[in-house]
Amino acid sequence: MMKKYIYLMRHGETLFNRRRKIQGWCDAPLTDFGKYQASCARDYFKHQGITFKKAYSSTSERACDTLEIVTEGALSYQRLKGLKEWNFGTFEGESEDLNPPLPYKDFFVTYGGESQDQIVARMVATVGQLVSESEEDTILIVSHGGAIANFARAYQEHWETELPKGLGNCAILKFRYEDDIFYLEEVIRHDFSDWKEN
């Protein structure tokens, strides 16, 4: 079976990230800094000689906009609801100070959101299907911090590197896919120290 490499990336900073608002299925635009972060990810792929012929995004605008910056709008891509962030129910758009302690488990179900088991199952099914059906060996997927971390934890026994606490904006998890298993090979974080506010 052909090995495949999946680059599972979080979107750039949004207005809600900056204002510390809970952002799951609700959406907010990328900030200028978020757009800069996406351009840093684009430069990383260029410098590494990594090119994509297949890309997927969450249907959320913040993820689509990030992907389009990374690929310079030169690659058509598929938007999938299965790649969306955790649904936080009536907590959407509220202050992050209202979040319960981790792990959230079933907390948000009472408020019309998803359980941890539901988001894990959704991400595993979505990513598993699109990767297994793809004929390409290098795939870009842009999603969200909670969704990505929960997907990664489903394959924790196969990690070849540790997952950091909290995935920063535009952080990338590189997985190797073989024999129907995702192996976490690398966590890629960028240096944004050159950023200058306009």
Side-chain angles (χ1 to χ4, degrees):
M1 187 181 194
M2 175 176 71
K3 282 184 194 174
K4 297 177 185 176
Y5 293 91
I6 296 85
Y7 292 85
L8 190 48
M9 175 177 162
R10 187 184 175 201
H11 60 81
E13 182 196 68
T14 69
L15 183 64
F16 275 17
N17 290 149
R18 181 167 289 189
R19 298 189 65 188
R20 298 192 69 253
K21 289 188 175 292
I22 296 169
Q23 183 178 225
W25 282 22
C26 71
D27 209 1
L30 296 180
T31 60
D32 286 343
F33 182 51
K35 294 172 185 175
Y36 170 76
Q37 291 174 315
S39 70
C40 290
R42 175 199 66 209
D43 293 345
Y44 167 81
F45 289 127
K46 282 186 177 177
H47 293 151
Q48 296 296 315
I50 299 165
T51 56
F52 300 103
K53 292 181 181 175
K54 203 77 176 175
Y56 301 88
S57 171
S58 153
T59 52
S60 297
E61 186 175 310
R62 60 191 186 270
C64 297
D65 288 352
T66 299
L67 186 150
E68 288 171 20
I69 293 169
V70 169
T71 62
E72 299 180 309
L75 183 65
S76 62
Y77 63 96
Q78 190 174 350
R79 302 176 185 199
L80 297 170
K81 288 183 179 179
L83 297 173
K84 288 178 77 165
E85 180 59 295
W86 195 323
N87 181 353
F88 298 118
T90 55
F91 277 70
E92 295 277 346
E94 300 293 339
S95 170
E96 288 180 4
D97 294 334
L98 297 176
N99 274 332
L102 290 168
Y104 297 156
K105 297 188 178 174
D106 295 340
F107 178 84
F108 293 104
V109 174
T110 307
Y111 304 95
E114 289 178 292
S115 71
Q116 190 146 16
D117 287 346
Q118 286 173 319
I119 188 171
V120 169
R122 170 164 64 79
M123 283 293 291
V124 166
T126 303
V127 176
Q129 181 176 356
L130 67 86
V131 171
S132 64
E133 292 177 356
S134 175
E135 295 178 1
E136 302 297 335
D137 62 358
T138 307
I139 299 165
L140 173 64
I141 300 171
V142 181
S143 183
H144 307 268
I148 292 169
N150 278 287
F151 172 80
R153 289 190 196 104
Y155 296 94
Q156 189 162 357
E157 63 187 287
H158 304 292
W159 287 0
E160 295 171 0
T161 188
E162 283 300 305
L163 188 69
K165 282 186 180 177
L167 284 179
N169 292 108
C170 286
I172 303 163
L173 302 190
K174 178 186 177 184
F175 290 91
R176 182 181 74 257
Y177 177 76
E178 54 183 331
D179 301 322
D180 298 325
I181 293 171
F182 290 88
Y183 297 87
L184 179 60
E185 282 194 352
E186 188 179 1
V187 178
I188 301 148
R189 287 174 282 189
H190 313 287
D191 177 8
F192 302 125
S193 58
D194 290 341
W195 163 249
K196 292 181 179 62
E197 190 86 52
N198 292 333

